Amino acid sequence: MTSASELRSGKGDRDENFPVASWIIHPSHRALILAYYNFVRTADDIADHGSLPADEKLRYLDLLEAELLGKGESQAEAVTLRRALAERGMAPRHALDVLIAFRMDVTKLRYETWDEVIHYCRYSAMPVGRFMLDVHGESTSTWAASDALCAGLQINNHLQDCGKDYRELNRVYLPRDALAAHGASVEQLGLAQSPPAMLACLQSLAVRNEALLGEGRPLAAEIRDLRLGVDVAVIQAYADRIVRLLKVRDPLRERVHLNKFELLTFSLAGIAGELGRRAIGRKTITNPGTAHDA
């Protein structure tokens, strides 16, 4: 069977709402994080491959899982991650979880409710944050805020790319009940500009996602590791800015992403804010609640 890495779809230039192994993270963690990233990205590219039949996609995802668990040596990304995890004495649970989401991407093209989307995020996004926290030895008590932030990042991405996902993959993450409530239809995602009903739906989902991102705001303060805490503060700053843009812009008509100046500005703001908070010992008030489906 062809190596999974040979199926990469050429999406390496796309924007990332999940910055991985950034320069802020301590160098001692970067090799493991990059091994995880490469594994996840390869699985993602398999699920999104434009010409591979669904049964072949599932077969490749199963192969990645088998080799991650030690059953084979043909898939470099799985073998590299398996060895990197073994060196740290970590289980592969967070990599296995994301494979569940990629199988869903192959078999499930529509979502009925917000809760269904959150269930998808439980496997597509939340494991990324949990993995990063585990790599840094953080407490599982941080998972609730991490889950909210990661789900919010994922939904930002769903809203940003809703037209592209529909046109290229016939995949729609916008809940059908939200579309129906605004009188919008799935087919409108193929247009060059949102009709009023679709724009109202998209912006209402952005408002709801803004509240979800708010649940993740305590995370940076809950993290003991300085570098990771600062990195999370930067990611939160990006996410907050993007969701504010999504509340007023039309992602079918224009690209809703941060430009280089905005990336620099919000990076500096996030870094300064978190360093300042830690310097004066101010603790962000943690939202009550537990992690989503630990």
Side-chain angles (χ1 to χ4, degrees):
M1 179 178 280
T2 303
S3 170
S5 60
E6 296 178 48
L7 300 173
R8 299 300 291 269
S9 63
K11 297 182 293 184
D13 60 344
R14 68 185 175 187
D15 293 85
E16 290 295 337
N17 282 346
F18 292 100
V20 177
S22 78
W23 60 270
I24 299 174
I25 296 296
H26 195 281
S28 64
H29 299 309
R30 289 178 190 163
L32 174 54
I33 293 169
L34 285 171
Y36 181 82
Y37 172 80
N38 287 332
F39 178 88
V40 171
R41 191 56 171 276
T42 297
D44 186 17
D45 283 350
I46 291 169
D48 288 354
H49 198 280
S51 60
L52 201 65
D55 59 344
E56 284 294 302
K57 292 180 179 182
L58 294 173
R59 191 175 307 167
Y60 273 109
L61 293 172
D62 288 346
L63 179 61
L64 284 176
E65 177 172 316
E67 298 207 0
L68 179 64
L69 296 174
K71 303 169 186 176
E73 301 283 331
S74 67
Q75 306 302 311
E77 292 81 5
V79 174
T80 299
L81 178 57
R82 184 181 78 214
R83 292 172 178 168
L85 289 169
E87 288 177 4
R88 297 284 286 266
M90 292 179 62
R93 62 176 297 187
H94 304 307
L96 296 174
D97 276 352
V98 294
L99 290 178
I100 295 173
F102 295 131
R103 292 186 180 102
M104 290 173 68
D105 279 337
V106 176
T107 61
K108 185 177 176 67
L109 300 179
R110 301 290 187 271
Y111 291 80
E112 299 298 326
T113 65
W114 177 268
D115 286 345
E116 280 194 13
V117 175
I118 294 297
H119 176 73
Y120 171 78
C121 293
R122 162 63 184 88
Y123 295 100
S124 67
M126 297 179 194
V128 177
R130 295 180 182 191
F131 169 77
M132 291 292 289
L133 293 166
D134 281 1
V135 167
H136 287 80
E138 299 291 335
S139 168
T140 56
S141 66
T142 60
W143 281 12
S146 175
D147 286 352
L149 174 58
C150 289
L153 288 165
Q154 180 73 83
I155 293 169
N156 267 357
N157 186 254
H158 288 166
L159 295 173
Q160 289 170 295
D161 294 341
C162 59
K164 180 180 177 182
D165 287 339
Y166 175 70
R167 291 190 305 270
E168 298 183 4
L169 301 167
N170 189 29
R171 192 181 297 154
V172 179
Y173 297 104
L174 308 183
R176 274 178 165 158
D177 63 353
L179 290 167
H182 290 86
S185 68
V186 165
E187 292 74 22
Q188 291 172 347
L189 290 170
L191 301 175
Q193 180 173 332
S194 293
M198 175 59 74
L199 187 59
C201 177
L202 291 169
Q203 293 180 350
S204 72
L205 290 170
V207 169
R208 188 166 189 177
N209 198 43
E210 186 175 45
L212 180 60
L213 286 167
E215 294 177 26
R217 195 159 291 114
L219 178 60
E222 294 176 357
I223 291 171
R224 298 189 304 270
D225 185 273
L226 172 62
R227 286 174 177 256
L228 182 60
V230 169
D231 197 46
V232 165
V234 170
I235 293 170
Q236 182 82 49
Y238 292 167
D240 290 343
R241 174 57 176 166
I242 289 170
V243 82
R244 288 195 296 270
L245 293 176
L246 287 165
K247 286 168 59 182
V248 297
R249 293 187 183 177
D250 177 5
L252 296 188
R253 185 173 61 86
E254 57 188 320
R255 191 169 178 269
V256 185
H257 289 271
L258 302 184
N259 59 40
K260 290 182 180 179
F261 176 76
E262 289 173 315
L263 287 170
L264 176 60
T265 300
F266 288 101
S267 293
L268 294 176
I271 292 169
E274 183 60 16
L275 290 177
R277 185 199 62 75
R278 289 180 182 247
I280 63 175
R282 178 168 52 85
K283 179 75 172 179
T284 301
I285 297 174
T286 303
N287 290 330
T290 57
H292 298 81
D293 181 20

